[in-house]
Amino acid sequence: KQEVTQIPAALSVPEGENLVLNCSFTDSAIYNLQWFRQDPGKGLTSLLLIQSSQREQTSGRLNASLDKSSGRSTLYIAASQPGDSATYLCAVRLSWKDTGRRALTFGSGTRLQVQP
Amino acid sequence: ETGVTQTPRHLVMGMTNKKSLKCEQHLGHNAMYWYKQSAKKPLELMFVYNFKEQTENNSVPSRFSPECPNSSHLFLHLHTLQPEDSALYLCASSQDQAHQEQYFGPGTRLTVT
């Protein structure tokens, strides 16, 4: 069974800092990995999707990397802003051949607070 | 705005009530999902529908009954719920079930009293 772990569970940083959020997964036979942002009491917003054949994806100040063999992904946020405060979730989708696990498996998230 | 809407946004119901959650997507997608998000737990997949057919039921109790009348609409019918069912229920859609990026609705915050 795929398990997804996110470290740290919570993080508080001053505005302007660069930071790294970590995600690890136990089954490396993934098809893709997706990073989401969730504001309190709200739904999820997709940030980046990395296919298993890719090493990284970038969107603005966000950069996500994937090391499938070691079961790790990182989300790098450059020059953090108070508006980045949210919970960041990592989710993996197993390979298509694993027909019992087609949907996403989520981590518990990292709750980020950026102090002005 | 992700193109996935959910109603109601908040719902309080007693254990003997019957209510329904609604999800609608305007993206032309063919797969729709129900997730449950409880406090301090990861999102849990409940059901998956692909082209209106249920393809996954993640051992969900029968007091939760999904319905997918067409590819754009998904319902979750609730009856005789328990207080521990209180959670944020999230709907998502994707182009189809095969490996595509999922788009989430804002969720329905359910409180069972």
Side-chain angles (χ1 to χ4, degrees), chain B residues 54-68:
Chain B
Q54 188 182 124
T55 56
E56 286 196 50
N57 177 336
N58 198 23
S59 303
V60 180
S62 59
R63 57 186 183 270
F64 295 91
S65 175
E67 178 190 2
C68 188

Side-chain angles (χ1 to χ4, degrees), chain A residues 15-105:
Chain A
E15 182 176 5
E17 270 203 14
N18 302 323
L19 54 99
V20 175
L21 307 182
N22 296 292
C23 172
S24 62
F25 44 95
T26 54
D27 187 340
S28 62
I30 66 168
Y31 189 83
N32 59 37
L33 181 146
Q34 199 167 353
W35 281 94
F36 294 88
R37 169 189 172 136
Q38 185 176 30
D39 292 286
K42 301 289 182 61
L44 277 65
T45 300
S46 179
L47 298 174
L48 291 163
L49 173 71
I50 310 178
Q51 302 293 346
S52 63
S53 59
Q54 297 176 320
R55 288 281 186 168
E56 65 178 342
Q57 283 285 338
T58 298
S59 176
R61 293 182 294 109
L62 304 179
N63 176 276
S65 67
L66 174 64
D67 184 343
K68 197 172 72 166
S69 61
S70 66
R72 296 178 186 276
S73 176
T74 61
L75 179 66
Y76 175 82
I77 303 177
S80 58
Q81 303 170 358
D84 294 331
S85 299
T87 296
Y88 290 81
L89 296 164
C90 166
V92 300
R93 185 194 304 275
L94 288 182
S95 172
W96 179 245
K97 292 181 180 178
D98 187 335
T99 58
R101 295 287 187 273
R102 294 172 185 166
L104 296 170
T105 301

Side-chain angles (χ1 to χ4, degrees), chain B residues 16-56:
Chain B
T16 58
N17 292 159
K18 290 184 180 181
K19 297 287 185 183
S20 295
L21 309 185
K22 179 182 177 181
C23 175
E24 183 174 1
Q25 56 93 3
H26 311 275
L27 302 168
H29 289 169
N30 295 300
M32 297 188 77
Y33 311 77
W34 279 117
Y35 288 88
K36 175 183 178 181
Q37 188 176 36
S38 305
K40 301 181 180 179
K41 291 178 67 176
L43 261 84
E44 301 172 81
L45 176 70
M46 299 176 73
F47 302 102
V48 182
Y49 278 81
N50 196 41
F51 292 91
K52 302 189 295 179
E53 298 296 322
Q54 188 182 124
T55 56
E56 286 196 50

